[in-house]
Amino acid sequence: MKMVTEKVLEFWDCLDTEAVVNKRELFLGILVCVLTGVLAGIMVSPKKRVTIGGCSGECIAEEIE
């Protein structure tokens, strides 16, 4: 676990070099945009009723609701 933490910290430190935009800020901005897009997609997606499990042919469709 310590190796993973060290690699993450090393990656995090290398994002601190400056360009036109700080790489850390660019990374966090892209991450926020991606997560916002995922959340918006979940909120906008059509809702479906999904039944998991089998009726084995012994139940009527109206009873599934």
Side-chain angles (χ1 to χ4, degrees), residues 5-56:
T5 306
E6 290 174 359
K7 288 182 181 181
V8 169
L9 289 175
E10 182 181 325
F11 174 71
W12 189 257
D13 289 337
C14 82
L15 291 176
D16 200 28
T17 58
E18 290 188 20
V20 176
V21 176
N22 191 341
K23 288 184 180 182
R24 183 180 292 171
E25 292 174 354
L26 179 64
F27 174 76
L28 291 175
I30 291 171
L31 183 67
V32 167
C33 290
V34 167
L35 293 177
T36 302
V38 169
L39 182 62
I42 290 171
M43 298 294 280
V44 175
S45 68
K47 307 295 184 245
K48 298 178 183 177
R49 293 185 183 205
V50 178
T51 303
I52 300 175
C55 289
S56 301

